[in-house]
Amino acid sequence: MRPITAGIAIVVVLGSITVTHAQSWRPPTDAQRCPSKWGAGDQRGAANHVTPAIVLRAAQLIKTGEVIELGHVLSAAMPMPATRQFNLHVKRTVMNPQSNRRGSNEELVTSEIGQVGTQFDGFAHQSIESSHYNCFKTDEIATRTGFTKLGVENVGSLMTRGVLIDVAGLKGADILPDTYEITVQDLQQAMQRQNVSLQPGDAVIIHTGWGKLWGKENARYMKSCPGIGVAAAEWLAKQDPILVGADNFPVEVSPNPDAQISAPVHQIMLVVNGIHLLENLKLDELAAKRVYEFALVVQPLKIKGATGSTVAPMAIR
Amino acid sequence: MRPITAGIAIVVVLGSITVTHAQSWRPPTDAQRCPSKWGAGDQRGAANHVTPAIVLRAAQLIKTGEVIELGHVLSAAMPMPATRQFNLHVKRTVMNPQSNRRGSNEELVTSEIGQVGTQFDGFAHQSIESSHYNCFKTDEIATRTGFTKLGVENVGSLMTRGVLIDVAGLKGADILPDTYEITVQDLQQAMQRQNVSLQPGDAVIIHTGWGKLWGKENARYMKSCPGIGVAAAEWLAKQDPILVGADNFPVEVSPNPDAQISAPVHQIMLVVNGIHLLENLKLDELAAKRVYEFALVVQPLKIKGATGSTVAPMAIR
Amino acid sequence: MRPITAGIAIVVVLGSITVTHAQSWRPPTDAQRCPSKWGAGDQRGAANHVTPAIVLRAAQLIKTGEVIELGHVLSAAMPMPATRQFNLHVKRTVMNPQSNRRGSNEELVTSEIGQVGTQFDGFAHQSIESSHYNCFKTDEIATRTGFTKLGVENVGSLMTRGVLIDVAGLKGADILPDTYEITVQDLQQAMQRQNVSLQPGDAVIIHTGWGKLWGKENARYMKSCPGIGVAAAEWLAKQDPILVGADNFPVEVSPNPDAQISAPVHQIMLVVNGIHLLENLKLDELAAKRVYEFALVVQPLKIKGATGSTVAPMAIR
Amino acid sequence: MRPITAGIAIVVVLGSITVTHAQSWRPPTDAQRCPSKWGAGDQRGAANHVTPAIVLRAAQLIKTGEVIELGHVLSAAMPMPATRQFNLHVKRTVMNPQSNRRGSNEELVTSEIGQVGTQFDGFAHQSIESSHYNCFKTDEIATRTGFTKLGVENVGSLMTRGVLIDVAGLKGADILPDTYEITVQDLQQAMQRQNVSLQPGDAVIIHTGWGKLWGKENARYMKSCPGIGVAAAEWLAKQDPILVGADNFPVEVSPNPDAQISAPVHQIMLVVNGIHLLENLKLDELAAKRVYEFALVVQPLKIKGATGSTVAPMAIR
């Protein structure tokens, strides 16, 4: 596509003259990234990888039946941005009048239930300007009560091979430093150390140790975090995974070392490449047991038109 | 326990003299049912069946990797009791000021998220008088913001052998009649016809056809439904399953043919036997494909202190 | 303003050629209506009428101290559009541990509290295209958590002379017909019959009888209603009132007799003239007692950045 | 009532022997306080004072028409206990398809709307054990969706003579000390200094200066506050007011100097005497202008079965 390349060249030339610290990453244009490789109009992105063959491949990794849970408990005490909430209000007993004296309780929850706790990010969550995955436009798909396209109900339950990349382990650290950017080399060395490699359709799960702060140092947990940056994200996207997850709130390093860009990995994964994110995972047990390869199962709630879903994923080996 | 047996005998004798239409079922007393067979203080009931051996047994049923989803889409358009709600409010784009122009959307949900849609019932949901599973008392475990015991976060993700009992299929009916009580004989004949049998730790899934009304005849869906009654529930509980599910809102027949009792199967399963319920399942595909045995995976959200969780279960074969 | 007049003339000419049923009303352009007569940047519109002199004029109408309430009771049983809700969840007793045994109850309400029940419409509620009163633009003043301009907290408590115009009484009807458009002549004849006239700064309250359906025929109440149309609204706006209210949900006739326009009186009052609306009033007692002139007091909740407020106004004479 | 007196005597005698620091106040028994002086079954308490004569008396205090607002702005930034919330979610524009291009905005609020901000406390809010005003029992009147008796909708709009008692002014303090208990003498001296006296049916408004912290030192505002204690409350109750208000969150001193009792003034006013409370008033302007006598108007939202209502009261002189 020569015109586009030319356009980029001009930008770079201008930039080299006028800007001292060039912006480290620019999102691609709609023309450069649409339609997605999964076809025009596709709403599932890399979740299309979940074929019977991929599920069977995952099932065959189950040797002992041991289940390791990867979800944190959901409560008002969990770390959250100030703009989100998780409130649970018990609706105390209705005692039914019949002779068997059946008491019934339930609860009202008011929460950004798609975007709190251990969570699965859908494609309506993020955009470049107002253009989402596969170039669906916010104005055309957003209503007051949900998105008419790209809602998380399109994803479906996922089962695939999970691969843990233990970067904290590689570095011999309990927890990576507060704003550490994980590099491509880190990922490659960690996998080499663990003797695992990635295959298309995998769920890539990155251990930073940050999850140890969950519920203990909530303010620090949300203020910044170690995670992958632009380079590692682009390298990972090329490995063609179904999803990328981590034990921090945005999967990626936060804030980005380049102050001119905001959460670029969200755009690289969700918008550009159609790869879902799995945030706030609880990975301590998986890492401690050195479970590097496993069947990962995650069932996003089928919330019509939602940007994501709180989840309770499991690793099985 | 002779005194209790004697006590029941006396009740029956008195009943036969003084009451014309005897109540068809009476809940056991606390003394008769506590501690549960899973031990005093246990909060998981039959979910304790989920051992590595049980998970492995389920994994070995996966032959092709085909996934069949058993969860309905969650939206305000689904059938619900008038006292429950599901409202999703899109929080439209925040456009971050940095140069990569990242737009971010999320949504607020106000809902009895543990008790709407395809849902998993926990033990805090139901009581006999104010006594729950394992005789935890409502007043001692309920707070405004959740239950301190028996919350659904104690259950964990479940994977086990699922068995579909297609009662609608047995009867040659698309949908069983609106208030049909499924009998023990129905269950046994259906399994014989399907050439399956139950084992301890199974997830028993009952197909009534009622789910075909979901989203189409919501008022009828909620007004009544076919399902198991007291006799079938007590027989099923003896088969020692992890959970019992169906494609209707209460698993059980509603209203109960005995107008003097209200939803007794809820008490038999959740309170007396510690067996979870899985309601509002979407079973059309499973039944149409005659998938009678499969790996069932269900991941209740780990909502601290909640009475249940909306879920998106999957059958895998 | 000759250019504007000319512009309109052209439109009419073109319309007479190409359109069989010409649109009955067109909103003015920004240039035609901004700044408002209350000054550029003003956010209160006709509420600026509430000066000490206006309040004193109202106070002097109080002769007996009789209070007549004009607000309906707020509950889930009131008529509402399907897109709004009013849910009240009791947070049952917290019993404080101290010796005086103080029990405390409260409730969570989830509701479009500015736009349900007897309600006061603010200027952020409505726009022509995306331009509000005094030409504030939606994109510039809307955030996820409120409007930075035109929020109802700017209005303040109102006390002024209220005038009831009993159009149902004029027509000798309990309730005006379901889609009756009240005309200028209706208003004038009703006032003549009642021997009252309007003064600048009045609160004009129109009795249609429609409020008699409240809580009794909710579906009919919301489906349509009698009320003022474009002509009556424009005539009323010229009388320079603080607000216009009625015992129906939109003050105006609904649907508008011209199917090409939607709720034009909302634009005429809130957007063009900066006159607030008072909806879903309970006027039966006021009309039955023939109280045509009174002190009206209405206290919108000072909800920062809100589009309106549920209220409980009172008439005092 | 000799038996009761005897009973109290015994308590005192026993207390003088066995307890070093006697509890400073004990709530009366049901028998001692019910029925209330407003009659068995009454739900309005001192709000029954609002007769035409009382309203007229208030109206006649209006000499200039000056309005002084007494309500704070409602937003998520206001001081609240951690167990309450105020969330406003804008429901951005629906653009109606008709030719007049009418845009419509509204907002969802999730809040304990009866118990946040400037608020009016109703009788369902508080109890002694589980017995409310006029001995209505919590278990008999509470439902999941509201109280069947004592709901704030029973109160009605209030207009009466308001009297400001400026205790901060008496003490020459901007703000009274953080846990200062206002005494009977303080009230009497302040009124003497201001040359005002109380009459039955008044609204008594106490200025402590604490409101100056609102929105500025929220944590301090909620941690403690100056206010009336048991003695001043009992003296005030004898003056027979409609309500008692203040510029702090509980009207009363907090915590109570006697650590064995919790918010006793809430019980004295709401439960024992049927006198409503008006909390979190904004009194700076009233005090600065030395407006000691005025018409007070307050319109609690008519929320069916609610424990209270956020309000926006006004003083008029």
Side-chain angles (χ1 to χ4, degrees):
Chain A
M1 263 190 281
R2 294 190 56 185
I4 290 167
T5 311
I8 290 176
I10 289 166
V11 166
V12 171
V13 168
L14 288 175
S16 68
I17 296 168
T18 60
V19 183
T20 312
H21 300 291
Q23 180 188 324
S24 57
W25 180 77
R26 287 172 196 276
T29 63
D30 277 16
Q32 286 170 315
R33 65 179 177 85
C34 294
S36 92
K37 73 173 179 181
W38 300 99
D42 171 68
Q43 302 182 49
R44 297 184 72 211
N48 285 298
H49 269 306
V50 184
T51 58
I54 283 282
V55 173
L56 193 58
R57 186 186 69 172
Q60 286 165 352
L61 296 172
I62 303 177
K63 309 293 189 192
T64 67
E66 184 185 9
V67 170
I68 297 175
E69 304 211 348
L70 309 183
H72 287 291
V73 170
L74 287 167
S75 82
M78 61 189 174
M80 271 178 289
T83 55
R84 294 179 189 153
Q85 62 183 303
F86 183 87
N87 294 302
L88 184 155
H89 307 277
V90 169
K91 296 168 71 176
R92 269 289 293 276
T93 316
V94 161
M95 182 53 66
N96 293 280
Q98 289 88 344
S99 66
N100 57 327
R101 302 294 292 162
R102 184 172 62 87
S104 188
N105 300 282
E106 59 198 50
E107 59 277 302
L108 180 80
V109 173
T110 59
S111 180
E112 287 81 3
I113 200 71
Q115 300 291 341
V116 297
T118 301
Q119 73 194 255
F120 181 92
D121 272 0
F123 299 146
H125 179 40
Q126 297 285 289
S127 59
I128 297 169
E129 291 287 353
S130 63
S131 184
H132 295 260
Y133 168 71
N134 231 347
C135 293
F136 287 102
K137 301 298 184 290
T138 311
D139 281 349
E140 291 168 13
I141 65 174
T143 76
R144 280 180 174 172
T145 55
F147 286 79
T148 56
K149 299 281 182 184
L150 302 182
V152 75
E153 80 279 14
N154 293 294
V155 175
S157 286
L158 305 178
M159 179 166 178
T160 192
R161 175 180 180 249
V163 173
L164 180 74
I165 305 182
D166 185 1
V167 182
L170 171 73
K171 302 288 184 182
D174 243 25
I175 304 178
L176 293 175
D178 291 47
T179 58
Y180 182 75
E181 178 178 343
I182 294 172
T183 65
V184 176
Q185 204 179 31
D186 288 340
L187 297 177
Q188 289 172 334
Q189 289 182 349
M191 285 193 290
Q192 195 169 12
R193 173 176 169 266
Q194 298 170 204
N195 198 25
V196 291
S197 60
L198 294 178
Q199 300 166 19
D202 281 346
V204 178
I205 308 297
I206 299 165
H207 180 238
T208 69
W210 200 248
K212 290 193 174 66
L213 304 178
W214 182 274
K216 290 179 189 127
E217 298 185 42
N218 283 356
R220 182 177 165 207
Y221 186 92
M222 293 305 302
K223 191 181 173 197
S224 74
C225 70
I228 55 175
V230 167
E234 294 196 323
W235 180 83
L236 274 175
K238 284 196 194 104
Q239 312 312 309
D240 203 10
I242 281 185
L243 61 83
V244 179
D247 55 346
N248 59 15
F249 66 92
V251 176
E252 65 191 289
V253 61
S254 177
N256 194 280
D258 179 353
Q260 295 180 59
I261 54 178
S262 161
V265 176
H266 270 60
Q267 291 179 326
I268 291 169
M269 293 298 177
L270 296 169
V271 185
V272 179
N273 288 291
I275 297 169
H276 290 99
L277 296 176
L278 198 45
E279 300 168 338
N280 293 324
L281 287 167
K282 182 179 177 298
L283 298 179
D284 52 351
E285 187 179 352
L286 209 59
K289 292 184 170 171
R290 303 185 183 198
V291 182
Y292 299 135
E293 193 185 16
F294 48 87
L296 178 91
V297 183
V298 55
Q299 301 178 331
L301 294 183
K302 303 175 80 64
I303 310 175
K304 191 175 174 66
T307 64
S309 171
T310 299
V311 288
M314 68 209 280
I316 320 165
R317 66 161 170 177
Chain B
M1 264 189 280
R2 296 192 56 186
I4 291 167
T5 313
I8 291 175
I10 288 166
V11 167
V12 172
V13 169
L14 288 175
S16 68
I17 296 168
T18 57
V19 183
T20 312
H21 299 290
Q23 180 188 325
S24 57
W25 181 75
R26 286 171 196 276
T29 63
D30 277 15
Q32 286 169 317
R33 67 179 176 83
C34 293
S36 93
K37 72 172 179 181
W38 299 100
D42 171 69
Q43 300 183 51
R44 298 183 73 212
N48 285 298
H49 269 305
V50 183
T51 57
I54 283 281
V55 173
L56 193 59
R57 186 186 70 173
Q60 287 165 349
L61 295 172
I62 303 177
K63 310 292 190 192
T64 66
E66 183 186 10
V67 169
I68 298 174
E69 303 212 348
L70 308 183
H72 287 290
V73 170
L74 287 167
S75 83
M78 61 189 173
M80 271 177 288
T83 55
R84 293 181 191 153
Q85 62 184 302
F86 183 87
N87 294 302
L88 184 154
H89 307 278
V90 169
K91 296 166 71 176
R92 271 288 292 275
T93 314
V94 162
M95 182 53 67
N96 293 280
Q98 288 87 344
S99 66
N100 56 327
R101 301 294 293 162
R102 183 172 62 88
S104 188
N105 300 283
E106 58 196 52
E107 58 278 299
L108 179 80
V109 173
T110 59
S111 179
E112 287 82 3
I113 199 72
Q115 301 290 340
V116 297
T118 301
Q119 71 193 255
F120 180 91
D121 272 0
F123 298 147
H125 179 40
Q126 298 283 290
S127 59
I128 298 170
E129 292 286 353
S130 63
S131 184
H132 295 261
Y133 168 70
N134 230 348
C135 293
F136 287 101
K137 300 298 184 290
T138 312
D139 281 348
E140 292 168 12
I141 64 174
T143 75
R144 279 180 176 173
T145 54
F147 285 79
T148 56
K149 300 281 180 183
L150 302 182
V152 75
E153 80 278 15
N154 294 293
V155 175
S157 286
L158 305 177
M159 178 167 180
T160 191
R161 176 181 180 247
V163 173
L164 180 75
I165 306 182
D166 184 0
V167 181
L170 171 73
K171 302 289 184 180
D174 244 25
I175 304 178
L176 293 175
D178 291 47
T179 58
Y180 181 74
E181 177 178 344
I182 294 171
T183 65
V184 175
Q185 205 180 30
D186 289 341
L187 297 177
Q188 290 172 332
Q189 289 182 351
M191 286 193 289
Q192 194 169 13
R193 173 176 168 269
Q194 299 169 206
N195 199 26
V196 291
S197 60
L198 295 179
Q199 299 166 18
D202 281 347
V204 179
I205 307 297
I206 299 165
H207 181 237
T208 69
W210 200 248
K212 291 193 174 67
L213 305 177
W214 182 274
K216 291 180 188 125
E217 298 185 42
N218 283 355
R220 184 178 164 206
Y221 185 91
M222 293 305 303
K223 191 182 173 195
S224 74
C225 70
I228 57 173
V230 167
E234 294 196 322
W235 180 82
L236 273 176
K238 284 197 193 105
Q239 313 312 309
D240 203 9
I242 281 186
L243 62 82
V244 180
D247 57 345
N248 59 16
F249 65 92
V251 176
E252 66 191 289
V253 60
S254 176
N256 194 278
D258 180 353
Q260 295 180 57
I261 54 179
S262 161
V265 176
H266 270 60
Q267 292 179 324
I268 290 169
M269 293 299 176
L270 296 170
V271 185
V272 178
N273 288 290
I275 296 168
H276 289 99
L277 296 175
L278 199 44
E279 299 168 339
N280 293 324
L281 287 165
K282 181 177 177 300
L283 299 179
D284 52 350
E285 186 179 352
L286 209 60
K289 292 183 170 172
R290 303 187 184 196
V291 182
Y292 299 136
E293 194 185 15
F294 48 88
L296 178 90
V297 182
V298 55
Q299 300 178 333
L301 294 184
K302 303 176 80 64
I303 310 175
K304 191 174 174 66
T307 66
S309 172
T310 299
V311 287
M314 68 208 282
I316 320 163
R317 66 161 170 176
Chain C
M1 267 190 278
R2 295 191 54 187
I4 290 166
T5 312
I8 291 175
I10 289 167
V11 166
V12 172
V13 170
L14 288 174
S16 69
I17 296 169
T18 59
V19 184
T20 312
H21 300 291
Q23 182 188 323
S24 56
W25 180 76
R26 286 172 196 274
T29 64
D30 278 15
Q32 286 171 316
R33 65 179 177 85
C34 293
S36 92
K37 72 172 178 181
W38 299 99
D42 172 68
Q43 301 183 51
R44 298 182 72 210
N48 286 298
H49 269 305
V50 183
T51 57
I54 284 281
V55 174
L56 192 60
R57 185 187 71 173
Q60 286 164 351
L61 296 172
I62 303 176
K63 310 292 190 195
T64 67
E66 183 185 10
V67 170
I68 298 175
E69 303 212 349
L70 309 183
H72 287 292
V73 170
L74 286 167
S75 83
M78 62 189 173
M80 272 177 288
T83 55
R84 294 179 190 154
Q85 61 185 303
F86 183 88
N87 294 302
L88 183 155
H89 307 277
V90 169
K91 296 168 72 176
R92 271 288 293 274
T93 315
V94 162
M95 182 54 64
N96 293 281
Q98 288 87 344
S99 66
N100 56 326
R101 302 294 293 161
R102 184 171 62 87
S104 187
N105 301 282
E106 58 197 52
E107 58 278 299
L108 180 80
V109 173
T110 60
S111 179
E112 288 82 3
I113 200 70
Q115 299 291 340
V116 296
T118 301
Q119 72 194 255
F120 180 92
D121 272 0
F123 299 146
H125 179 41
Q126 299 284 289
S127 59
I128 296 169
E129 291 287 352
S130 63
S131 184
H132 295 261
Y133 168 70
N134 229 349
C135 293
F136 287 102
K137 299 298 184 291
T138 311
D139 281 348
E140 291 168 13
I141 65 173
T143 76
R144 279 181 176 172
T145 53
F147 286 79
T148 56
K149 299 281 181 183
L150 302 182
V152 75
E153 80 278 15
N154 294 294
V155 176
S157 286
L158 306 178
M159 179 166 179
T160 191
R161 176 180 180 248
V163 173
L164 181 74
I165 306 183
D166 185 1
V167 182
L170 171 74
K171 301 289 183 180
D174 242 25
I175 304 178
L176 293 175
D178 291 47
T179 58
Y180 182 75
E181 177 179 344
I182 294 171
T183 64
V184 175
Q185 204 179 32
D186 288 340
L187 297 177
Q188 289 171 332
Q189 289 182 350
M191 286 192 290
Q192 194 169 15
R193 174 176 167 267
Q194 299 169 204
N195 199 25
V196 291
S197 60
L198 295 179
Q199 300 166 18
D202 281 346
V204 178
I205 307 296
I206 298 166
H207 181 237
T208 69
W210 200 247
K212 290 192 173 67
L213 304 177
W214 182 274
K216 291 179 189 126
E217 297 185 42
N218 283 355
R220 183 177 165 208
Y221 186 92
M222 292 305 303
K223 191 181 174 197
S224 74
C225 70
I228 57 174
V230 167
E234 295 196 323
W235 180 83
L236 274 175
K238 284 197 195 104
Q239 313 311 309
D240 203 10
I242 280 186
L243 61 83
V244 180
D247 56 345
N248 59 16
F249 66 92
V251 176
E252 66 191 289
V253 61
S254 176
N256 194 280
D258 179 353
Q260 295 180 58
I261 54 178
S262 162
V265 176
H266 271 60
Q267 292 179 325
I268 291 168
M269 293 298 177
L270 296 170
V271 185
V272 178
N273 288 290
I275 296 168
H276 290 99
L277 296 175
L278 198 45
E279 299 168 339
N280 293 323
L281 288 166
K282 183 179 177 298
L283 298 179
D284 52 350
E285 187 179 351
L286 209 60
K289 291 183 170 171
R290 303 185 184 197
V291 181
Y292 298 135
E293 194 185 17
F294 48 88
L296 179 90
V297 182
V298 55
Q299 300 178 332
L301 294 183
K302 303 176 80 64
I303 310 176
K304 190 176 175 65
T307 65
S309 171
T310 299
V311 287
M314 67 208 282
I316 319 164
R317 66 163 169 176
Chain D
M1 264 191 280
R2 295 192 56 186
I4 291 168
T5 311
I8 290 176
I10 289 167
V11 166
V12 172
V13 169
L14 288 175
S16 68
I17 295 168
T18 59
V19 184
T20 312
H21 300 291
Q23 179 187 325
S24 58
W25 180 76
R26 285 171 197 277
T29 64
D30 277 17
Q32 286 170 317
R33 67 179 176 84
C34 293
S36 91
K37 73 173 179 181
W38 299 100
D42 172 68
Q43 300 182 52
R44 297 184 72 211
N48 285 297
H49 270 306
V50 183
T51 57
I54 283 281
V55 173
L56 193 58
R57 186 187 68 173
Q60 287 165 350
L61 295 172
I62 303 176
K63 311 291 189 194
T64 67
E66 182 186 11
V67 170
I68 299 174
E69 304 213 349
L70 309 183
H72 287 290
V73 170
L74 286 167
S75 84
M78 63 188 171
M80 271 179 288
T83 54
R84 294 179 190 154
Q85 61 185 302
F86 183 87
N87 294 302
L88 183 155
H89 308 277
V90 169
K91 296 167 73 176
R92 272 287 294 274
T93 315
V94 163
M95 181 54 65
N96 293 280
Q98 288 88 344
S99 65
N100 57 327
R101 302 293 293 162
R102 182 172 62 88
S104 187
N105 300 283
E106 59 197 51
E107 58 278 302
L108 180 79
V109 173
T110 60
S111 179
E112 288 82 3
I113 199 71
Q115 301 290 340
V116 296
T118 301
Q119 72 194 254
F120 180 91
D121 272 359
F123 298 146
H125 179 40
Q126 298 283 290
S127 59
I128 298 170
E129 292 285 353
S130 63
S131 185
H132 295 260
Y133 168 70
N134 230 347
C135 294
F136 287 102
K137 300 299 184 291
T138 311
D139 280 349
E140 291 168 12
I141 65 174
T143 76
R144 279 180 176 173
T145 53
F147 286 79
T148 55
K149 300 280 180 182
L150 302 182
V152 74
E153 79 278 15
N154 294 294
V155 175
S157 285
L158 305 178
M159 179 166 179
T160 191
R161 176 180 181 249
V163 173
L164 180 75
I165 306 183
D166 184 0
V167 181
L170 171 73
K171 301 289 184 181
D174 242 25
I175 304 178
L176 292 176
D178 291 47
T179 57
Y180 181 74
E181 178 178 342
I182 294 172
T183 65
V184 176
Q185 205 179 30
D186 289 340
L187 298 178
Q188 290 172 333
Q189 289 181 350
M191 286 193 290
Q192 196 168 10
R193 173 175 168 268
Q194 300 169 204
N195 199 23
V196 291
S197 60
L198 295 179
Q199 300 167 17
D202 281 347
V204 178
I205 307 297
I206 298 166
H207 180 238
T208 70
W210 200 247
K212 290 192 174 67
L213 305 177
W214 181 275
K216 290 178 189 127
E217 298 186 40
N218 283 355
R220 181 177 165 208
Y221 185 92
M222 293 305 302
K223 192 182 174 196
S224 75
C225 69
I228 56 173
V230 167
E234 295 196 324
W235 180 82
L236 274 175
K238 283 196 195 105
Q239 313 313 308
D240 203 11
I242 281 185
L243 62 82
V244 180
D247 56 347
N248 58 16
F249 65 91
V251 176
E252 65 190 289
V253 60
S254 177
N256 195 278
D258 179 353
Q260 296 180 57
I261 54 179
S262 162
V265 176
H266 271 60
Q267 292 179 325
I268 291 169
M269 293 298 177
L270 296 169
V271 185
V272 178
N273 288 291
I275 296 169
H276 290 97
L277 295 175
L278 199 45
E279 299 168 339
N280 292 324
L281 288 166
K282 182 179 177 299
L283 299 179
D284 51 351
E285 186 179 351
L286 209 59
K289 291 183 170 171
R290 303 187 184 197
V291 181
Y292 298 136
E293 195 185 15
F294 48 87
L296 179 90
V297 182
V298 54
Q299 301 179 332
L301 294 184
K302 303 176 80 63
I303 310 175
K304 191 176 174 64
T307 65
S309 172
T310 300
V311 288
M314 66 209 283
I316 319 163
R317 67 164 168 175

